[in-house]
Structure formats: structure tokens, C-alpha cells
Amino acid sequence: ILDTIAPKLYISWNGEYALSPKNQEWYLYHIPSGSKTLIPGRGLDAPWFTGDGVTVLFEGDSALWKYDIQSGMLTEAVVCKGYKTSIINGEWGVINGNGLYKQQVNLSKPVVIKLYNRQENVTSYVLWRNGKFETIIPPTTRYIQSLVYNNSFDCFSWLEEDYNMPPRFVYKKIGEKERVLYQSNKEDKDILSLKQEIIQYTNSDSIPLQGILYYPLNYDPYRKYPMVVLIYER
């Protein structure tokens, strides 16, 4: 028995190491020896073992973290203040559906990283290679989905939309300006007048929260309107 662990256990692809969170910290287990090591850092999210099995990348707030298993050093691989990082092009799998996971990223290839600022509702995508990163999609409040790319990681396409913009298909080559290849509902001009406002507030527990106020089409500030409210978990 290695330890009492959380419901999720992340296994390296060679089966030598495992990671498990406890009390907002991560513990590294060396399975052959049964040893246990505390990783010195808080705010670390989902872990990704590298293909060589000697490094772990942690998603997290304001940075992508790099942990060297041999030296025990935790450093910031990519710094992005105000944004939460997520690795997009890693390999992952579930072992028998029992809370055992394998997540691996190949550092011999570029890493596609999603950056998200929840407070401002801003998303960006960057490409990290050779210790540097290039912007794929600059920070935007638009909803981005279905990001795809070629094997050389120099051509990207995605779908994007906004509250006042119908979905459209966008293509971009690194180093060049993005191009809209297809715009749906071009005839819908009324949607351009739709307005929204982000409401920032703090609840009784001093937790910062947000609300989104959507105005009706062709809003007249001198009229009174009924308001429909949708309340959800956060």
C-alpha cells in the first residue's frame, strides 16, 4: 500500500510514477520503491508526464509549471499572469474507469496551450516550443471551439462566435493574419445591436462572482423592460 489517495491517481506511461492530490498539494509516488515525495507548490492543477518520464507539467493559474522529478525543482515554464493554463494537445486515457488516469505530453513537439481569464471572460491560445511561445489566437471574449492544426503546427483553424456574432470558421497560418473562410447567417444584421454587460459583485462570503446582463435587441434606455433571471451554481 503506497498511501491513502484521492479519487484520482495519475500514472506515468511507463508505470514508474504516480501523482495524487491531497490538501491542495501534490504527492509523487515512485511505485517500484514505494517512496513518496511532496511537490513544493500550491495552485497546481492537472499534471502531464513528459514522454521521457523525467518531468511533469502542471496546469495552473498564471503559469504552466515544470517539475523535474530527479532534482525536485518546480519552475515556471510559461508565465501568463491572470490566466489559467490548459494543455490541449496532450495524450490521455482512463485505466479501467477506476479513477486511474494517464496523461502525457511530448516535448519534442510544440505544445498547444489554452489561456483563460475567468474574471474578464477572455480566452487565448498559444504555441510553446523551444522554451518560447507564439500567439495562435490573441486574447478574445469570443467563444472558441473545435481548434484543429496540422502536423507541423503552423496552420490552425477554429470556430468562433459571440453573443452578437453568429458562428464563423477561421483559418490562420503562424506569422500571418487570420482569415474568415465562412460566416454563417450573414443576413442577420439585427444581432449586431445586441448588448451585454458583465456585472461584478461579491457575495456574503466575500467571494467575487459575476453576472451577465443581456439587453434586448434595439434597447431603448427610456423604456422599462421585464427581466428574466437565470441562476446557476457559480
Side-chain angles (χ1 to χ4, degrees), residues 133-186:
F133 68 88
E134 304 167 81
T135 300
I136 302 170
I137 304 177
T140 178
T141 56
R142 294 171 182 168
Y143 175 57
I144 307 296
Q145 59 180 324
S146 303
L147 178 73
V148 295
Y149 37 85
N150 61 358
N151 291 333
S152 56
F153 294 90
D154 58 0
C155 294
F156 296 81
S157 64
W158 63 89
L159 296 176
E160 66 178 24
E161 61 182 297
D162 210 339
Y163 67 94
N164 61 351
M165 185 187 74
R168 64 185 190 179
F169 180 56
V170 183
Y171 167 83
K172 180 179 180 179
K173 187 172 183 179
I174 291 294
E176 299 180 5
K177 187 176 181 180
E178 64 185 47
R179 290 187 289 145
V180 177
L181 300 184
Y182 178 76
Q183 173 70 68
S184 64
N185 297 338
K186 288 184 178 180

